[in-house]
Amino acid sequence: GVTSSGKTEVFLQAIERVIQKGKNAIMLVPEISLTPQMLNRFTSRFPNNVAVLHSGLSDGEKFDEWQRIITGDAKIVIGARSAIFAPLKNLGVIIIDEEHDSSYKQDSPAPRYNGRDTALMMYQLENTTSGTNSCNIILGSATPSLEEMYNCLTGRHIRVELTERYHGAEDAEIEIIDTKAERRKNGM
């Protein structure tokens, strides 16, 4: 979907349906800095049901969140790439926001993994072990990766496009500035 097309609302509605069916959800965001913004939207929609996992938490905070997940107090996990390893049972949906983002790749320290690809494997594993298609995966992006474009073109994945901004919002005004001319004008 284009920027401001309402992808987050689509994610929220998908999770709402999953929760109504008694299942759980994982929402991956590419950067820790995006987690508070996303967390605010989710906790206002799903009070007391959201756990957050990322490397910026202290060991005690991580322990508390894992306990909430294990006991079933948290039905939704939001976080950066490592949140894919949350001990959620009965997954109904895995959402990867900005699936194209290179920060899903853990290069160092070990273990090295790609959070996006790990999510795809977990989705397949969840459906294989349950014997049904009880889990879905949503890969969201305004600029999909080449791998994802290929998966859509070959019919491996279904492509859904959001072509308009949410509620008809106007595009941001863009102005092109010749920085060299500006520097000359300002005597730099």
Side-chain angles (χ1 to χ4, degrees), residues 103-170:
S103 64
Y104 284 119
K105 295 177 182 176
Q106 169 76 21
D107 293 327
S108 67
R112 291 168 177 80
Y113 67 97
N114 183 323
R116 176 193 174 275
D117 293 347
T118 303
L120 286 163
M121 294 294 290
M122 288 187 70
Y123 153 77
Q124 290 173 343
L125 183 63
E126 186 73 22
N127 286 323
T128 303
T129 57
S130 70
T132 65
N133 286 335
S134 62
C135 182
N136 290 299
I137 191 161
I138 300 171
L139 305 174
S141 179
T143 54
S145 65
L146 289 175
E147 297 94 336
E148 194 50 36
M149 292 297 291
Y150 178 78
N151 286 332
C152 292
L153 288 172
T154 60
R156 188 168 184 203
H157 294 167
I158 298 168
R159 181 178 174 167
V160 177
E161 289 187 53
L162 302 174
T163 58
E164 296 178 14
R165 294 174 71 111
Y166 189 63
H167 286 303
E170 296 287 324

Side-chain angles (χ1 to χ4, degrees), residues 1-13 16 41 45 161-172:
V2 297
T3 302
S4 299
S5 61
K7 290 184 295 293
T8 302
E9 183 58 31
V10 170
F11 302 155
L12 287 163
Q13 288 183 24
E16 191 168 14
R41 290 201 59 192
R45 187 88 156 249
E161 289 187 53
L162 302 174
T163 58
E164 296 178 14
R165 294 174 71 111
Y166 189 63
H167 286 303
E170 296 287 324
D171 286 341

